[in-house]
Amino acid sequence: MTIHIGAKPGEIADTVLLPGDPYRAKWAAETFLDNPRCINQVRGMLGYTGTWRGHSVTIHGSGMGMPSLSIYANELIRDFGAQTLIRIGSCGAMQPQVGLRDVILAQTASSISTPSRGIFRELNFAPCADFALLSAAHKAAQDKGVTTHVGGIYSSDVFYDERPDLNEQLTRHGVLAVEMEAAELYNLAARHNRRALAVLTVSDHLLTGKALPSSEREQSFGDMVEIALTAAFS
Ligand code: HPA
């Protein structure tokens, strides 16, 4: 048991999927895992452990933004020994060739700041995904017939962004999409020698203003869960 996770020792699996939304954690666990058990409810941040094809898996909410994700990822890694952490979440596309519902596998994540800034100071550390996970997720997404893009994303500190000039530069430099958590997940995985990946579905498009209707979000979310699980145990 930690400050933010009420699970007992041994109740968290080596492999943890991290959706931002705790209710998505509940839905994914009840939909894809056998015998899901709720192992955390502290502050409403739901976590479940069950099995997938015989492998033990935890699906735990991260909350929105890097400061929130940092709390859960730190405790999952340092106190519960999580080895493989895969973010599953939504993102906003920043390139014309990226469409709604496409899957993005974040090879690296740029940021203005992360909770690790206090360590890195003047260093622009380049957080990157675990290659074996990335390549297995790419294969799983191709096998599913999902349009997939691999490349850099931007982990922003704000959803309601007031820097159109910066978004323009990110687009100009080929950044595929914006979300709010991956960079710090990759920083923490690097620090603790764990495996991490962010599998993202495009829920909205910054260049066109289009957004996925809520009725279609569940299907796209399900694809991501299956891609993440397949990659974790490839
Ligand atoms: N900005 C930040 N995070 C996001 C977005 C966005 O436009 N869409 C989905 N997650």
mmCIF file of all heavy atoms in Angstrom, residues 32 39 44 60 68 75 79 91 96 103-104 106-107 115-116 132 144 158 161 172-173 183 185 203 231:
data_model
loop_
_atom_site.group_PDB
_atom_site.id
_atom_site.type_symbol
_atom_site.label_atom_id
_atom_site.label_comp_id
_atom_site.label_asym_id
_atom_site.label_seq_id
_atom_site.Cartn_x
_atom_site.Cartn_y
_atom_site.Cartn_z
ATOM 1 N N PHE A 32 -11.635 -6.947 -21.232
ATOM 2 C CA PHE A 32 -10.540 -7.735 -21.824
ATOM 3 C C PHE A 32 -9.864 -8.708 -20.866
ATOM 4 O O PHE A 32 -9.169 -9.612 -21.315
ATOM 5 C CB PHE A 32 -9.472 -6.800 -22.414
ATOM 6 C CG PHE A 32 -9.979 -6.028 -23.594
ATOM 7 C CD1 PHE A 32 -10.414 -4.719 -23.448
ATOM 8 C CD2 PHE A 32 -10.045 -6.622 -24.844
ATOM 9 C CE1 PHE A 32 -10.905 -4.008 -24.540
ATOM 10 C CE2 PHE A 32 -10.534 -5.925 -25.942
ATOM 11 C CZ PHE A 32 -10.970 -4.617 -25.794
ATOM 12 N N ILE A 39 -8.233 -3.315 -7.381
ATOM 13 C CA ILE A 39 -7.158 -3.329 -6.382
ATOM 14 C C ILE A 39 -6.833 -1.907 -5.891
ATOM 15 O O ILE A 39 -5.994 -1.729 -5.015
ATOM 16 C CB ILE A 39 -5.884 -4.035 -6.915
ATOM 17 C CG1 ILE A 39 -5.497 -3.551 -8.327
ATOM 18 C CG2 ILE A 39 -6.107 -5.538 -6.957
ATOM 19 C CD1 ILE A 39 -4.762 -2.291 -8.401
ATOM 20 N N GLY A 44 -10.628 7.699 -6.034
ATOM 21 C CA GLY A 44 -11.393 7.359 -7.236
ATOM 22 C C GLY A 44 -10.521 6.943 -8.405
ATOM 23 O O GLY A 44 -11.022 6.779 -9.525
ATOM 24 N N HIS A 60 -4.643 0.443 -14.725
ATOM 25 C CA HIS A 60 -4.757 1.439 -13.645
ATOM 26 C C HIS A 60 -4.832 2.838 -14.236
ATOM 27 O O HIS A 60 -4.028 3.190 -15.109
ATOM 28 C CB HIS A 60 -3.513 1.318 -12.741
ATOM 29 C CG HIS A 60 -3.662 1.993 -11.419
ATOM 30 N ND1 HIS A 60 -3.711 3.369 -11.285
ATOM 31 C CD2 HIS A 60 -3.794 1.487 -10.175
ATOM 32 C CE1 HIS A 60 -3.863 3.660 -10.004
ATOM 33 N NE2 HIS A 60 -3.912 2.543 -9.311
ATOM 34 N N SER A 68 0.141 14.095 -12.529
ATOM 35 C CA SER A 68 -0.686 12.999 -12.029
ATOM 36 C C SER A 68 -0.086 11.654 -12.421
ATOM 37 O O SER A 68 0.103 10.769 -11.578
ATOM 38 C CB SER A 68 -2.114 13.135 -12.573
ATOM 39 O OG SER A 68 -2.893 12.039 -12.149
ATOM 40 N N GLU A 75 4.900 5.179 -8.010
ATOM 41 C CA GLU A 75 4.518 4.189 -6.993
ATOM 42 C C GLU A 75 4.423 2.787 -7.602
ATOM 43 O O GLU A 75 4.820 1.799 -6.975
ATOM 44 C CB GLU A 75 3.214 4.621 -6.311
ATOM 45 C CG GLU A 75 3.440 5.898 -5.496
ATOM 46 C CD GLU A 75 2.216 6.406 -4.745
ATOM 47 O OE1 GLU A 75 1.220 5.671 -4.622
ATOM 48 O OE2 GLU A 75 2.260 7.571 -4.283
ATOM 49 N N ASP A 79 7.360 0.984 -5.725
ATOM 50 C CA ASP A 79 6.803 0.236 -4.600
ATOM 51 C C ASP A 79 6.212 -1.109 -5.006
ATOM 52 O O ASP A 79 6.188 -2.038 -4.219
ATOM 53 C CB ASP A 79 5.733 1.082 -3.897
ATOM 54 C CG ASP A 79 6.330 2.364 -3.352
ATOM 55 O OD1 ASP A 79 7.181 2.269 -2.452
ATOM 56 O OD2 ASP A 79 5.980 3.450 -3.848
ATOM 57 N N CYS A 91 -5.239 11.403 -28.315
ATOM 58 C CA CYS A 91 -4.338 12.495 -28.681
ATOM 59 C C CYS A 91 -4.986 13.344 -29.765
ATOM 60 O O CYS A 91 -5.965 12.928 -30.393
ATOM 61 C CB CYS A 91 -2.988 11.949 -29.171
ATOM 62 S SG CYS A 91 -3.100 10.967 -30.661
ATOM 63 N N PRO A 96 -1.359 16.604 -41.428
ATOM 64 C CA PRO A 96 -2.493 16.385 -42.340
ATOM 65 C C PRO A 96 -2.707 14.926 -42.708
ATOM 66 O O PRO A 96 -3.847 14.514 -42.951
ATOM 67 C CB PRO A 96 -2.132 17.209 -43.587
ATOM 68 C CG PRO A 96 -0.709 17.622 -43.440
ATOM 69 C CD PRO A 96 -0.339 17.495 -41.996
ATOM 70 N N VAL A 103 -4.027 5.096 -35.156
ATOM 71 C CA VAL A 103 -3.230 4.826 -33.948
ATOM 72 C C VAL A 103 -1.849 5.433 -34.119
ATOM 73 O O VAL A 103 -1.252 5.358 -35.195
ATOM 74 C CB VAL A 103 -3.135 3.308 -33.688
ATOM 75 C CG1 VAL A 103 -1.996 2.965 -32.739
ATOM 76 C CG2 VAL A 103 -4.448 2.804 -33.110
ATOM 77 N N ILE A 104 -1.370 6.062 -33.065
ATOM 78 C CA ILE A 104 -0.012 6.624 -33.059
ATOM 79 C C ILE A 104 0.805 5.913 -31.991
ATOM 80 O O ILE A 104 0.363 5.772 -30.840
ATOM 81 C CB ILE A 104 -0.065 8.147 -32.802
ATOM 82 C CG1 ILE A 104 -0.670 8.807 -34.041
ATOM 83 C CG2 ILE A 104 1.328 8.693 -32.472
ATOM 84 C CD1 ILE A 104 -0.747 10.286 -34.000
ATOM 85 N N ALA A 106 4.144 6.321 -30.012
ATOM 86 C CA ALA A 106 5.056 7.444 -29.735
ATOM 87 C C ALA A 106 6.478 6.942 -29.566
ATOM 88 O O ALA A 106 6.826 6.351 -28.542
ATOM 89 C CB ALA A 106 4.602 8.186 -28.492
ATOM 90 N N GLN A 107 7.294 7.207 -30.588
ATOM 91 C CA GLN A 107 8.692 6.798 -30.550
ATOM 92 C C GLN A 107 9.458 7.672 -29.552
ATOM 93 O O GLN A 107 10.342 7.220 -28.855
ATOM 94 C CB GLN A 107 9.246 6.993 -31.959
ATOM 95 C CG GLN A 107 10.530 6.327 -32.263
ATOM 96 C CD GLN A 107 10.832 6.383 -33.757
ATOM 97 O OE1 GLN A 107 10.196 7.135 -34.506
ATOM 98 N NE2 GLN A 107 11.762 5.608 -34.197
ATOM 99 N N PRO A 115 7.743 16.749 -14.890
ATOM 100 C CA PRO A 115 8.105 16.687 -13.472
ATOM 101 C C PRO A 115 9.577 16.325 -13.249
ATOM 102 O O PRO A 115 10.087 16.522 -12.151
ATOM 103 C CB PRO A 115 7.169 15.593 -12.930
ATOM 104 C CG PRO A 115 5.984 15.634 -13.844
ATOM 105 C CD PRO A 115 6.564 15.925 -15.202
ATOM 106 N N SER A 116 10.266 15.831 -14.280
ATOM 107 C CA SER A 116 11.692 15.501 -14.146
ATOM 108 C C SER A 116 12.601 16.687 -14.404
ATOM 109 O O SER A 116 13.828 16.549 -14.373
ATOM 110 C CB SER A 116 12.068 14.381 -15.125
ATOM 111 O OG SER A 116 11.388 13.201 -14.805
ATOM 112 N N ALA A 132 11.503 -2.833 -28.356
ATOM 113 C CA ALA A 132 10.824 -4.135 -28.516
ATOM 114 C C ALA A 132 9.310 -3.963 -28.391
ATOM 115 O O ALA A 132 8.531 -4.532 -29.175
ATOM 116 C CB ALA A 132 11.340 -5.126 -27.482
ATOM 117 N N LYS A 144 -4.099 -5.964 -37.070
ATOM 118 C CA LYS A 144 -5.499 -5.598 -36.839
ATOM 119 C C LYS A 144 -6.064 -4.762 -37.987
ATOM 120 O O LYS A 144 -7.252 -4.464 -38.014
ATOM 121 C CB LYS A 144 -5.611 -4.747 -35.554
ATOM 122 C CG LYS A 144 -5.787 -5.566 -34.310
ATOM 123 C CD LYS A 144 -5.934 -4.645 -33.139
ATOM 124 C CE LYS A 144 -7.191 -4.802 -32.322
ATOM 125 N NZ LYS A 144 -8.187 -5.730 -32.667
ATOM 126 N N VAL A 158 -0.759 21.630 -20.993
ATOM 127 C CA VAL A 158 -2.096 22.244 -20.984
ATOM 128 C C VAL A 158 -2.964 21.652 -22.093
ATOM 129 O O VAL A 158 -2.482 21.373 -23.187
ATOM 130 C CB VAL A 158 -2.025 23.779 -21.183
ATOM 131 C CG1 VAL A 158 -1.533 24.455 -19.923
ATOM 132 C CG2 VAL A 158 -1.158 24.164 -22.364
ATOM 133 N N ASP A 161 -4.649 25.125 -24.969
ATOM 134 C CA ASP A 161 -3.355 25.659 -25.343
ATOM 135 C C ASP A 161 -3.469 27.094 -25.849
ATOM 136 O O ASP A 161 -4.396 27.423 -26.572
ATOM 137 C CB ASP A 161 -2.776 24.759 -26.441
ATOM 138 C CG ASP A 161 -1.313 25.027 -26.666
ATOM 139 O OD1 ASP A 161 -0.531 24.619 -25.803
ATOM 140 O OD2 ASP A 161 -0.972 25.665 -27.673
ATOM 141 N N ARG A 172 5.519 21.728 -38.186
ATOM 142 C CA ARG A 172 6.593 21.920 -39.154
ATOM 143 C C ARG A 172 7.713 20.899 -38.971
ATOM 144 O O ARG A 172 8.359 20.493 -39.927
ATOM 145 C CB ARG A 172 7.132 23.343 -38.972
ATOM 146 C CG ARG A 172 8.198 23.755 -39.931
ATOM 147 C CD ARG A 172 8.538 25.217 -39.698
ATOM 148 N NE ARG A 172 9.753 25.559 -40.389
ATOM 149 C CZ ARG A 172 10.722 26.316 -39.899
ATOM 150 N NH1 ARG A 172 10.614 26.853 -38.702
ATOM 151 N NH2 ARG A 172 11.787 26.568 -40.610
ATOM 152 N N HIS A 173 7.929 20.475 -37.728
ATOM 153 C CA HIS A 173 8.999 19.523 -37.450
ATOM 154 C C HIS A 173 8.498 18.078 -37.407
ATOM 155 O O HIS A 173 9.177 17.184 -36.876
ATOM 156 C CB HIS A 173 9.710 19.895 -36.141
ATOM 157 C CG HIS A 173 10.580 21.108 -36.286
ATOM 158 N ND1 HIS A 173 10.069 22.390 -36.252
ATOM 159 C CD2 HIS A 173 11.900 21.244 -36.522
ATOM 160 C CE1 HIS A 173 11.047 23.263 -36.434
ATOM 161 N NE2 HIS A 173 12.158 22.591 -36.614
ATOM 162 N N ALA A 183 5.746 11.811 -22.145
ATOM 163 C CA ALA A 183 7.154 12.178 -21.920
ATOM 164 C C ALA A 183 7.615 11.778 -20.516
ATOM 165 O O ALA A 183 8.710 11.236 -20.334
ATOM 166 C CB ALA A 183 7.369 13.675 -22.142
ATOM 167 N N LEU A 185 6.267 9.463 -18.565
ATOM 168 C CA LEU A 185 6.291 8.002 -18.448
ATOM 169 C C LEU A 185 7.616 7.470 -18.989
ATOM 170 O O LEU A 185 8.258 6.611 -18.369
ATOM 171 C CB LEU A 185 5.114 7.382 -19.221
ATOM 172 C CG LEU A 185 5.064 5.853 -19.189
ATOM 173 C CD1 LEU A 185 4.879 5.335 -17.765
ATOM 174 C CD2 LEU A 185 3.963 5.321 -20.099
ATOM 175 N N SER A 203 -8.221 11.286 -31.306
ATOM 176 C CA SER A 203 -9.610 11.603 -30.962
ATOM 177 C C SER A 203 -10.027 12.953 -31.531
ATOM 178 O O SER A 203 -11.213 13.242 -31.657
ATOM 179 C CB SER A 203 -9.787 11.623 -29.445
ATOM 180 O OG SER A 203 -8.969 12.622 -28.875
ATOM 181 N N ALA A 231 1.366 -6.435 -27.553
ATOM 182 C CA ALA A 231 2.762 -5.980 -27.548
ATOM 183 C C ALA A 231 3.468 -6.400 -26.250
ATOM 184 O O ALA A 231 4.619 -6.847 -26.260
ATOM 185 C CB ALA A 231 2.831 -4.466 -27.705
#
